[in-house]
Amino acid sequence: MLTQPQADKLADAWLQAWNSRDLAQIMEHYADAIEFRSPFIVKLMDIADGSLRGKPALAAYFAQGLAKFPELHFTLLQVLPGVGSVTLLYRSVNDLLAAETMEIDAAGKICRVMAHYCDPAAAARGASLES
């Protein structure tokens, strides 16, 4: 089980890498055999099932996201440790509320991610990300 201090340390390093916009630093957090699922993969990469496998595919996706969103900045709201995983709740691009559940392998690398997003203002109006 991840302790709160372990989860906080991972979250702080991950957030710092993203907010520095340094792709190499970002990619250091991920395992070579990463599995990553996100609605943004559908939007940015036009991959219908929203999933990527492997570090090269993930790096290409992240590079495209960094280019498309030059003002990208994450604000951490909550770190939720679990058994071999952590969920980060944060403000993402376009002020979306994001929750990423990250499975951590034995080497301490992120090996599986399930990303979820909500536009709080749209949700209050009953809209979705597709609207």
Side-chain angles (χ1 to χ4, degrees), residues 107-126:
K109 300 289 186 179
I110 301 166
C111 61
R112 183 173 296 135
V113 176
M114 299 288 289
H116 307 82
Y117 302 92
C118 175
D119 178 345
R125 295 187 313 270

Side-chain angles (χ1 to χ4, degrees), residues 2 15 19 26 38 40 45 54 58 61 68 82-83 94 118 131:
L2 251 63
L15 191 75
N19 287 340
I26 292 166
S38 170
F40 275 102
M45 307 289 285
L58 188 63
Y61 164 63
K68 181 168 179 67
V83 177
N94 298 329
C118 175
S131 300

Side-chain angles (χ1 to χ4, degrees), residues 53-64:
R53 285 182 172 29
K55 231 174 174 177
L58 188 63
Y61 164 63
F62 286 166
Q64 189 172 348

Side-chain angles (χ1 to χ4, degrees), residues 13-121:
W14 180 88
L15 191 75
Q16 181 180 10
W18 272 104
N19 287 340
S20 74
R21 302 180 56 82
D22 181 335
L23 184 59
Q25 188 179 359
I26 292 166
M27 294 309 299
E28 282 297 312
H29 296 276
Y30 296 92
D32 289 339
I34 181 71
E35 295 177 31
F36 198 99
R37 299 185 89 181
S38 170
F40 275 102
I41 293 170
V42 177
K43 289 181 163 204
L44 294 178
M45 307 289 285
D46 197 29
I47 298 173
D49 72 354
S51 6
L52 295 172
R53 285 182 172 29
K55 231 174 174 177
L58 188 63
Y61 164 63
F62 286 166
Q64 189 172 348
L66 289 167
K68 181 168 179 67
F69 300 105
E71 301 300 318
L72 181 135
H73 179 84
F74 297 159
T75 303
L76 189 62
L77 302 173
Q78 190 70 49
V79 178
L80 308 166
V83 177
S85 64
V86 61
T87 297
L88 305 184
L89 182 64
Y90 62 97
R91 289 271 175 218
S92 183
V93 65
N94 298 329
D95 206 33
L96 294 175
L97 183 60
E100 286 196 28
T101 298
M102 304 170 175
E103 190 175 314
I104 311 302
D105 68 14
K109 300 289 186 179
I110 301 166
C111 61
R112 183 173 296 135
V113 176
M114 299 288 289
H116 307 82
Y117 302 92
C118 175
D119 178 345

